[in-house]
């Protein structure tokens, strides 16, 4: 299992940027694909982005393509989500997740470990 701790959330105006970080503990991080998901009040948790173990393959939800960038540094056991041009409707709790596979996945059910989440608030 991988333990995950997110940081970097906060309040930003529409059009602004935030960079989320997810620090992982455990020796399996370098072999784990990672994902970011988000959940707004009253809504289901949804996929945002994923990255494979090497950082070579990245996938994004259509709604964030071109604005969000996922990256990782296995030496630092950290994955980041750079979010630009944020919209009010993207206000949510953002979660980092790890799966016991090297392959990136957009499927929430493929993830085994979750962080506690970090709040992102976007004001209009």
């Amino acid at each position: 299992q991988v333990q995950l701790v997110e940081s970097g959330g906060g309040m930003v105006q529409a059009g602004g940027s935030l960079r989320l970080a997810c620090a992982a503990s455990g020796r399996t991080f370098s072999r784990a694909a990672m994902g970011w998901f988000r959940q707004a009040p009253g809504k289901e948790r949804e996929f945002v982005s994923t990255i494979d173990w090497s950082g070579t393959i990245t996938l994004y939800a259509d709604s964030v393509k071109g604005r969000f960038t996922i990256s990782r540094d296995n030496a630092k056991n950290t994955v980041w989500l750079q979010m630009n041009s944020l919209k009010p409707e993207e206000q949510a709790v953002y979660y980092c997740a790890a799966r016991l596979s090297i392959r990136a996945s957009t499927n929430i059910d493929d993830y085994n470990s979750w962080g506690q989440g970090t709040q992102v608030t976007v004001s209009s």
Side-chain angles (χ1 to χ4, degrees):
Q1 286 281 342
V2 178
Q3 287 76 47
L4 305 170
V5 178
E6 302 97 333
S7 61
M11 182 178 294
V12 65
Q13 288 189 332
S17 298
L18 282 174
R19 190 189 195 203
L20 306 182
C22 175
S25 60
R27 295 185 296 175
T28 59
F29 175 79
S30 63
R31 298 188 298 276
M34 301 295 294
W36 285 97
F37 294 78
R38 64 189 178 191
Q39 187 168 20
K43 295 187 177 181
E44 292 188 353
R45 194 170 298 188
E46 65 175 4
F47 166 76
V48 176
S49 183
T50 181
I51 189 167
D52 76 335
W53 71 281
S54 67
T56 302
I57 297 172
T58 58
L59 301 171
Y60 299 91
D62 287 343
S63 60
V64 308
K65 281 181 182 176
R67 299 185 297 116
F68 289 15
T69 302
I70 190 171
S71 60
R72 68 187 294 163
D73 185 334
N74 288 343
K76 296 181 178 179
N77 275 19
T78 302
V79 61
W80 295 273
L81 184 68
Q82 176 68 44
M83 306 185 295
N84 298 330
S85 302
L86 281 160
K87 305 174 182 179
E89 56 265 36
E90 294 180 312
Q91 178 169 311
V93 177
Y94 283 69
Y95 296 90
C96 173
R99 66 179 303 226
L100 296 177
S101 170
I102 61 174
R103 296 182 178 183
S105 173
T106 63
N107 188 344
I108 193 171
D109 294 329
D110 286 341
Y111 289 83
N112 313 98
S113 301
W114 292 83
Q116 83 289 349
T118 185
Q119 176 71 47
V120 171
T121 302
V122 185
S123 61
S124 56

